[in-house]
Amino acid sequence: MRPHHLAALAVLPFLVPAMLSAQSSGGPAEPRRLDSPFRPPVNFVEQISPPPIPPDVTDDRRVARNYPEQPPVIPHNIRDYQITLNNNQCLTCHSRRFTEAVQAPMVSITHYVDREGQTLGAVSPRRYFCMQCHVPQTRAQPIVPNTFTDLDTLVSRPSDRGDRR
Ligand code: HEC
Ligand code: HEC
């Protein structure tokens, strides 16, 4: 053994008791009670049953988009709709062929355009997995307030108009 290894061993008897005492006394502080919206006000070590998962909004009412390019949210149940290599159940209603029969809105032309800008005869592979962009909504209450202001509201705000004149 080299001398500096021995030196390291020599401090061990002092180090270990120091670590142990740090754990018992100072150690991790008493868990704090946080009245944070992100977690219920219980101690870190307490076990509580999780709040129920809020249900999806499935009222079939199409939701206004917050900006024109937004993928519209899904207003209906999508449970068990499969999207696999050979089968895309969303397209059994939303493809051009079936929209008349089921009265579902057709996927728009952007869904047929591939990444080279070519318009294909069928839904482009990059738009095949619908849930990458389209999601259902739940009745969960937002945990942080949403301050988003729609552009229409913004441009029609009387105070802003006054400023511009
Ligand atoms: C049984 C037919 C059917 C299937 C399957 C289906 N949809 Fe729909 N979808 C509809 C209909 C009809 C509407 C119009 C609103 C309504 O009635 O719910 C709609 C509305 C939507 C909208 C809202 C469009 C808008 O402009 O607001 C989106 C997004 C959507 N569906 C996505 C999907 C996705 C993603 C899947 C697969 C996971 C899917 N749908 C499967 C029939 C269907
Ligand atoms: C890469 C993101 C993306 C994917 C994947 C995608 N979409 Fe969309 N979708 C959009 C966007 C963005 C819009 C709104 C602008 C537009 O029409 O291009 C839209 C619009 C729609 C609309 C409304 C069309 C209209 O004219 O009102 C429907 C219905 C829809 N998508 C269904 C689907 C279905 C079904 C799939 C799966 C086959 C799918 N989308 C996959 C991004 C996506």
Side-chain angles (χ1 to χ4, degrees):
M1 252 188 207
R2 299 237 175 100
H4 61 267
H5 286 159
L6 283 174
L9 278 179
V11 300
L12 257 182
F14 304 99
L15 211 60
V16 171
M19 277 157 67
L20 285 178
S21 72
Q23 242 169 28
S24 54
S25 65
E30 172 73 6
R32 270 200 303 157
R33 277 178 185 275
L34 290 174
D35 281 327
S36 142
F38 297 102
R39 57 188 303 272
V42 291
N43 281 333
F44 174 62
V45 288
E46 278 169 41
Q47 288 268 355
I48 56 159
S49 42
I53 297 173
D56 278 0
V57 180
T58 55
D59 59 9
D60 289 332
R61 289 180 51 84
R62 294 168 72 178
V63 182
R65 301 178 207 183
N66 290 322
Y67 50 93
E69 305 89 343
Q70 185 205 316
V73 296
I74 306 171
H76 56 69
N77 200 354
I78 52 160
R79 202 187 166 94
D80 301 332
Y81 287 167
Q82 278 191 341
I83 301 180
T84 64
L85 179 63
N86 302 314
N87 180 37
N88 183 326
Q89 248 170 314
C90 308
L91 289 176
T92 62
C93 290
H94 287 283
S95 66
R96 190 176 59 87
R97 199 142 62 101
F98 298 117
T99 48
E100 187 173 343
V102 294
Q103 290 294 301
M106 191 191 98
V107 293
S108 57
I109 185 67
T110 59
H111 295 67
Y112 292 83
V113 179
D114 71 7
R115 63 178 177 181
E116 267 84 45
Q118 297 285 334
T119 304
L120 311 177
V123 166
S124 162
R126 64 178 186 161
R127 289 282 171 111
Y128 188 76
F129 295 101
C130 318
M131 307 284 295
Q132 267 177 285
C133 305
H134 299 281
V135 288
Q137 299 295 288
T138 77
R139 297 195 190 282
Q141 289 307 307
I143 49 179
V144 286
N146 186 348
T147 56
F148 177 82
T149 310
D150 189 89
L151 182 68
D152 292 341
T153 317
L154 210 62
V155 295
S156 66
R157 236 174 21 200
S159 62
D160 293 352
R161 258 210 310 267
D163 290 348
R164 263 188 276 132
R165 276 186 202 140

